[in-house]
Amino acid sequence: MKRAVVAAVFGVSAVASAPAAAASAGLTAASAGLTAGPATAAGERVVLVGIPGLMWSDVTPADTPNLWRLAGDSAVGSLSVRAVRKDTCPYDAWLTVSAGVRSAVGGACGMAPTPKADGEGAVIPEFSWLWEVREQREAGTLGQALHAAGRTTMAVGPGAALALADREGRVDVYAPSPAEVAQWTRGDVVAVEIPDLVAPYVSGDRLTDVPERLPADARRAAARAAAAKLGAFLPRLGSATVLVAGLSDHGSVPHLRTAMLHGPGSDTGSDPGSDPGSDPGGGPARTLGARSTHRDNMIILPDITATILARTGVAAPPAVVGVPVETHATDANLDERVTALRTADVAGQTIRDTTGVFFTTLAVLQVVFYVTAFLLLRRRDKLPAVRAAAVALAAIPVSTYLVNLTPWARTAQPAVMLFTSIAAIAVALTVAALAGPWRRGVLGPLTVIAAVTAAVLLGDLLTGTPLQLNSLMGYTGVVGARYYGLGNIPFALLATAVLLVTTAAADRLVRAGRKTVAVALVAALGAFAMLLDGWPGVGSDFGGVIAFVPGIAVTALIVAGKRVSIVKLGAFCAAGGVLVMAIAYLDYLRPPASQTHLGRFVGQVADGTFLPVISRKLGAMLSTLLSPNLMPVVITAFAFLVFALLRPGAASAGVLPIAFERAPMLRAGLLGALVSGLVGMLVNDSGAAVLSMALALAVPLVLSAGIRALQHGEPVLPAGSPGPAASPAAA
């Protein structure tokens, strides 16, 4: 009953799927498939065809007509193969399918081990070595669950045997290659390995450490060979759900891989005799996604494990973190769907390749700005230029999300178009902030940039985060750290923007004698943004809630004219922890397939397996403290801020004290943002990135407000004067 109530609260609905017959070129019988929601039929036969290294750029009507035709008759999507390492070798990929959770063998990583024949089946030698030595304790989860439920497993190839092996390393039926299989219907669950595309990239026991070893012609030949093998046995599979997956990477650079699901609800009813390049015409086209990614066209490796179990009517063990895949109807034809999937990989690759350059450039710009601003403000020279530069710097973060409204990834030079478009959007926002009717107000430009940043991120959350995906300050399916919700850097920007906007509005209310309304506004708008940040399936941000609560509380207290003590600050942080655990517990009460990582963390706390998660995140946080891209932003921004507050005349011509005098509530927003940034740095694995982005947005905007106050004719403090904010208490 609890789960039903919670499911209703979270808006979760299950849509039953109905079997439907469909014909496909190369298939002589209908195949069972999935529609949106959990599988409804038990005991179906499932065939997993793993073609490690297969990308959508390998699937074309000319080179791989069988694969192209099958794609036209299937639901298609991207497969994020990220396991543990930045690149995923075939061994790790098959092991992840076996475990149902991201796994890695460690050390040299190449192809899966060769099993030993045992009657008509096979056994993987020393299989227990995986959990006893390599600490891959979930290895064998899939095979064990299938055997416990009385299902027969059939593996073709070493990788397939690894995927379906039970805890003793055993599969019921085994063949080394598809050519050696006499009867394809002997297993309830069949896994097939076609290694043609990845074998040339493996030397000994290790995947190549170069991005691309094969010339284009050789790669096309390997893709044709793999497609030919698939086409040879597809007609012999009988009635089965067929899942084709490009299970692993093929070099040192990760990519999004191919995923196809053939069966009822996924097929389009194309004419088996149609031309391979034609569009299917007998039913709705479909894409392949999963609730694990909250994307209609992307799945992850553990979803394959969950899908196999669901389609065979076997309950997934608690260790399985994936969910059964879902299909979604679309109006796009096959060419359009495949083009979109190829573009997604290009976008992810471009972001992955340019993120370092972007953050290095941003760090350099920030450092140069603070040094230049310090020198110019001391001389009280070129204040309009400093103000414009401050607003432009603050406009860059939101521009990295707005750029995804443009088709930059479809251009011939995506990286060039990406940076050019970001610069153009930042300039446009700067002009709008400085030239609009609000330009005369001290807080006008600040409010515009902060409001646009908050509105873009909140709107992105409410629409499924299409702007954060494949953005320089977001995440990508290629990297696979996060697929939906609010990332750590966007959290820092959202918290800072919301607090600055609310205090800008509160400043007017306080001046009008409506302090109580001002405090309520800060609390209400902050709470709304915080709940969207932490709500499962929307922001799904664990650490963000912990950091947002003290930021909102500190801001509201200062607006109310109350003092903030260390004890109160600690209590606010504790309240944030209690709140996020309450949200996570509600998520935990939902069915496992509907849970996000928040609910799964509660389960890990319950079974005592949460410490490795905490340890991993702590290590990641500490490593950011040495980042050459992040720490310069933190150090220079903090140094400028502290010096400008302690020595306002010498550091900033008194612009910060004047800003706080002209807009007293601005100090509340700045301090609240800094509190959220500091706490966020400590509780998120992105560490210094959270604080650096909070500073990168807040400090330039506050500085721009102070400069505008000077331009309104306020008296300028003489150089070296301590000014009205000469003490930390005054700040």
Side-chain angles (χ1 to χ4, degrees):
M1 182 63 181
K2 279 186 178 180
R3 293 188 184 275
V5 171
V6 173
V9 171
F10 280 99
V12 177
S13 63
V15 181
S17 61
S24 171
L27 289 177
T28 60
S31 303
L34 292 175
T35 58
T40 59
E44 298 178 18
R45 291 186 63 247
V46 179
V47 178
L48 168 64
V49 181
I51 309 178
L54 182 66
M55 299 189 299
W56 280 111
S57 57
D58 298 315
V59 181
T60 65
D63 292 327
T64 57
N66 286 336
L67 272 174
W68 183 263
R69 187 181 290 112
L70 182 63
D73 236 8
S74 304
V76 297
S78 296
L79 172 62
S80 175
V81 298
R82 174 66 182 267
V84 176
R85 299 160 24 128
K86 69 177 180 65
D87 54 342
T88 300
C89 69
Y91 198 142
D92 287 354
W94 289 110
L95 181 60
T96 296
V97 175
S98 169
V101 63
R102 288 177 171 180
S103 305
V105 68
C109 185
M111 304 298 284
T114 302
K116 291 183 178 180
D118 183 20
E120 63 178 1
V123 176
I124 297 177
E126 300 179 352
F127 189 67
S128 61
W129 170 83
L130 284 170
W131 59 82
E132 292 173 352
V133 177
R134 292 301 187 183
E135 298 185 347
Q136 301 305 305
R137 296 179 177 85
E138 309 304 333
T141 294
L142 174 59
Q144 190 67 28
L146 291 171
H147 278 168
R151 305 298 192 268
T152 303
T153 56
M154 175 179 176
V156 182
L162 176 60
L164 296 185
D166 61 16
R167 293 287 286 182
E168 295 180 354
R170 183 181 303 277
V171 292
D172 300 316
V173 181
Y174 179 74
S177 68
E180 299 175 66
V181 177
Q183 185 178 355
W184 284 92
T185 58
R186 297 182 62 190
D188 298 316
V189 176
V190 181
V192 185
E193 179 181 34
I194 301 180
D196 297 70
L197 254 175
V198 77
Y201 297 90
V202 177
S203 298
D205 293 329
R206 186 179 295 275
L207 193 66
T208 181
D209 58 358
V210 298
E212 182 57 60
R213 171 179 289 179
L214 296 185
D217 289 344
R219 182 165 180 86
R220 283 195 296 270
R224 285 195 296 269
K229 287 184 178 179
L230 175 62
F233 66 78
L234 273 177
R236 303 168 59 190
L237 293 180
S239 178
T241 295
V242 179
L243 180 59
V244 178
L247 284 174
S248 78
D249 289 312
H250 66 270
S252 61
V253 174
H255 285 270
L256 293 177
R257 302 292 165 174
T258 301
M260 307 182 199
L261 179 71
H262 181 88
S266 62
D267 63 278
T268 56
S270 62
D271 180 1
S274 63
D275 180 80
S278 65
D279 293 327
R286 292 189 174 272
T287 58
L288 187 65
R291 286 192 296 272
S292 57
T293 64
H294 284 232
R295 305 288 169 185
D296 290 350
N297 59 359
M298 186 185 299
I299 66 173
I300 60 176
L301 277 176
D303 292 340
I304 294 175
T305 311
T307 300
I308 291 173
L309 292 169
R311 296 311 293 175
T312 52
V314 177
V320 176
V321 300
V323 297
V325 298
E326 303 170 344
T327 69
H328 303 269
T330 176
D331 294 331
N333 61 35
L334 180 58
D335 281 322
E336 292 168 340
R337 283 180 288 157
V338 171
T339 297
L341 295 172
R342 292 171 181 167
T343 301
D345 184 51
V346 171
Q349 288 298 321
T350 303
I351 295 300
R352 179 183 178 275
D353 293 342
T354 57
T355 296
V357 174
F358 170 77
F359 278 102
T360 298
T361 302
L362 184 63
V364 170
L365 289 175
Q366 291 273 332
V367 172
V368 169
F369 168 74
Y370 288 119
V371 172
T372 304
F374 171 77
L375 296 175
L376 291 177
L377 290 173
R378 287 192 67 188
R379 293 159 48 189
R380 304 171 182 87
D381 188 22
K382 300 187 184 303
L383 296 185
V386 176
R387 183 183 184 223
V391 174
L393 271 181
I396 290 176
V398 70
S399 301
T400 65
Y401 305 115
L402 290 174
V403 74
N404 278 344
L405 296 175
T406 71
W408 64 267
R410 295 178 181 267
T411 62
Q413 294 181 305
V416 174
M417 184 57 66
L418 174 66
F419 282 101
T420 302
S421 300
I422 289 173
I425 294 170
V427 169
L429 290 174
T430 302
V431 171
L434 294 174
W438 42 75
R439 68 186 183 278
R440 296 182 179 86
V442 171
L443 299 181
L446 176 150
T447 304
V448 170
I449 298 300
V452 170
T453 302
V456 167
L457 289 172
L458 290 174
D460 193 46
L461 283 177
L462 292 172
T463 55
T465 60
L467 300 183
Q468 287 182 68
L469 182 68
N470 295 329
S471 67
L472 289 165
M473 288 190 172
Y475 40 79
T476 73
V478 169
V479 174
R482 177 185 276 266
Y483 300 94
Y484 67 94
L486 196 70
N488 292 332
I489 288 177
F491 155 73
L493 297 172
L494 176 63
T496 302
V498 167
L499 293 175
L500 289 178
V501 168
T502 55
T503 50
D507 192 74
R508 286 180 174 269
L509 292 170
V510 171
R511 289 178 181 277
R514 305 175 67 184
K515 181 180 289 188
T516 302
V517 177
V519 174
L521 177 69
V522 171
L525 292 182
F528 172 73
M530 180 267 296
L531 286 175
L532 285 183
D533 171 31
W535 204 251
V538 183
S540 302
D541 185 13
F542 194 95
V545 175
I546 301 175
F548 216 151
V549 169
I552 297 168
V554 166
T555 302
L557 280 180
I558 296 177
V559 170
K562 306 295 184 181
R563 293 183 59 85
V564 179
S565 65
I566 296 297
V567 173
K568 289 180 180 178
L569 186 59
F572 296 147
C573 292
V578 171
L579 178 60
V580 76
M581 285 304 296
I583 294 173
Y585 182 70
L586 289 175
D587 189 30
Y588 174 70
L589 293 178
R590 297 196 294 172
S594 299
Q595 293 175 9
T596 68
H597 63 279
L598 279 75
R600 289 194 292 271
F601 179 73
V602 173
Q604 291 170 325
V605 171
D607 61 24
T609 61
F610 68 97
L611 288 178
V613 177
I614 300 297
S615 176
R616 184 173 66 250
K617 289 184 175 294
L618 178 61
M621 183 276 289
L622 293 174
S623 69
T624 66
L625 300 182
L626 301 176
S627 170
N629 292 331
L630 301 174
M631 289 312 296
V633 177
V634 174
I635 293 171
T636 55
F638 251 128
F640 183 89
L641 186 62
V642 172
F643 191 38
L645 292 172
L646 295 178
R647 298 291 302 277
S652 61
V655 294
L656 292 185
I658 289 176
F660 296 152
E661 289 175 5
R662 291 291 305 275
M665 298 303 103
L666 181 59
R667 185 178 62 172
L670 175 62
L671 293 179
L674 294 182
V675 166
S676 282
L678 282 168
V679 177
M681 181 181 74
L682 298 175
V683 300
N684 282 300
D685 51 8
S686 294
V690 177
L691 180 57
S692 67
M693 290 304 104
L695 290 167
L697 180 61
V699 177
L701 287 180
V702 172
L703 185 61
S704 73
I707 293 175
R708 183 55 184 163
L710 284 177
Q711 293 174 327
H712 273 196
E714 295 290 341
V716 179
L717 295 174
S721 170
S727 69

